[in-house]
Amino acid sequence: MATEEDLEKFRKEGHVAFVVGYTGETGKELVKALSATKPFTRVVLIGRRKSSVTDKLGEGFEEKVVDFCHREDYRDAFAGCDVGFNCLGTTRSKSGGKEGFIKVDHDYVMRTAELARASDCKRFLHVSSTGSDKNSCLLYPQTKGQVEEELKDLQFEHLSIFRPGFLICDREESRIGEKIAKCLCMPCFCCCGKYSAVSTEILAHAMVRRACHPNGKVETIDNKTIHYIAE
Ligand SMILES: NC(=O)c1ccc[n+]([C@@H]2O[C@H](COP(=O)([O-])OP(=O)(O)OC[C@H]3O[C@@H](n4cnc5c(N)ncnc54)[C@H](OP(=O)(O)O)[C@@H]3O)[C@@H](O)[C@H]2O)c1
């Protein structure tokens, strides 16, 4: 487990990170954790729209607005970043259906990872999901599983794949399906929460820990281990 001494050593090495999906629920917690612990000399926040987040973060954080459809447009955003965090994601309903979902959860994620790899990014930390399986007949787990496999092929020095269960957060946007699932599953979260759910805050802490102290070349981290790493 990382100590304050390890963190200080990492800071002195002068690493630079990027975060995609920083305006989402996980991304926001990740930025908060990065701002509190300051492991990186510089953090580049890459998104499709400008937010006011950097006003509160101060030095060391910069926002870059990019068009994820145009690879050439955002190649430069990754320059100098040796660590990358991916918290991108959407839902079928939000993105207008199957194609929209694949475009974000597969195409944008892989484009980001490929550009980062080409810019010599060494560590990539990716938020996937419990149940990811490229052989699944269901769109969500299949897409998530497919992305995991393709990320492995990119041969980062360290790849951390986080597979959270249900994400607990005060979601800004209203998702009816998620609210129903949360109500139905609440008894399960209460008695075996570590296996089935995790707060975005805990997930973010685990991501920061693994960014500073990776464990092996490729690590797939289940919901329970996310809790353990963040403890
Ligand atoms: N919800 C759950 O319980 C759950 C469970 C397990 C795993 N996951 C996975 O965990 C990851 C993070 O989830 P989350 O709930 O933190 O995500 P979220 O709150 O929905 O945020 C998603 C992020 O992706 C960006 N994004 C979405 N569509 C985009 C588009 N077309 N172009 C560019 N950027 C786009 C959003 O940007 P804007 O702010 O600009 O929209 C936002 O920054 C996702 O991959 C999700 O599938 C979720």
Side-chain angles (χ1 to χ4, degrees):
M1 206 50 62
T3 62
E4 191 50 45
E5 212 174 297
D6 293 330
L7 190 59
E8 194 47 40
K9 182 170 167 277
F10 184 83
R11 277 190 198 112
K12 284 189 178 143
E13 289 166 1
H15 297 273
V16 176
F18 71 82
V19 181
V20 289
Y22 72 97
T23 51
E25 298 302 333
T26 307
K28 279 188 284 190
E29 284 299 336
L30 179 62
V31 171
K32 227 191 265 177
L34 291 173
S35 150
T37 48
K38 296 202 167 36
F40 295 99
T41 310
R42 193 162 64 89
V43 179
V44 186
L45 307 174
I46 302 171
R48 62 174 161 177
R49 63 187 169 93
K50 181 127 180 66
S51 83
S52 55
V53 68
T54 40
D55 302 347
K56 296 170 229 142
L57 296 170
E59 248 179 74
F61 288 83
E62 61 188 87
E63 275 184 286
K64 288 211 163 126
V65 177
V66 302
D67 181 348
F68 285 88
C69 289
H70 297 112
R71 182 186 283 259
E72 294 307 319
D73 276 9
Y74 73 116
R75 185 183 295 278
D76 294 347
F78 303 98
C81 297
D82 59 333
V83 178
F85 295 94
N86 173 58
C87 308
L88 270 182
T90 190
T91 61
R92 254 172 110 131
S93 59
K94 212 175 148 185
S95 60
K98 182 178 173 181
E99 276 176 23
F101 173 76
I102 292 174
K103 189 167 81 170
V104 176
D105 275 63
H106 176 275
D107 301 354
Y108 290 178
V109 172
M110 288 315 301
R111 198 167 293 159
T112 295
E114 284 160 12
L115 290 172
R117 185 75 188 87
S119 290
D120 212 21
C121 174
K122 308 270 188 272
R123 300 180 190 173
F124 194 77
L125 298 100
H126 168 68
V127 182
S128 182
S129 175
T130 291
S132 304
D133 177 2
K134 70 174 172 34
N135 297 316
S136 172
C137 55
L138 302 172
L139 178 68
Y140 184 84
Q142 187 198 81
T143 308
K144 296 291 192 190
Q146 182 69 36
V147 166
E148 290 184 8
E149 291 310 309
E150 291 180 28
L151 286 176
K152 288 176 194 166
D153 292 342
L154 291 180
Q155 302 284 332
F156 285 98
E157 269 180 31
H158 300 286
L159 171 65
S160 302
I161 296 171
F162 293 82
R163 284 185 173 176
F166 192 86
L167 288 181
I168 300 170
C169 56
D170 284 327
R171 194 171 287 285
E172 268 180 31
E173 129 213 13
S174 160
R175 288 185 185 172
I176 283 297
E178 221 171 272
K179 279 186 182 155
I180 294 169
K182 195 173 171 182
C183 290
L184 292 175
C185 299
M186 207 32 103
C188 173
F189 295 162
C190 292
C191 64
C192 50
K194 281 200 174 176
Y195 294 90
S196 54
V198 64
S199 70
T200 46
E201 187 185 359
I202 289 177
L203 174 58
H205 279 290
M207 292 178 82
V208 174
R209 287 242 162 106
R210 271 300 180 261
C212 303
H213 307 279
N215 182 19
K217 186 173 165 60
V218 178
E219 187 186 21
T220 304
I221 305 165
D222 65 18
N223 195 77
K224 183 167 171 254
T225 311
I226 293 171
H227 283 271
Y228 174 74
I229 294 170
E231 263 164 23

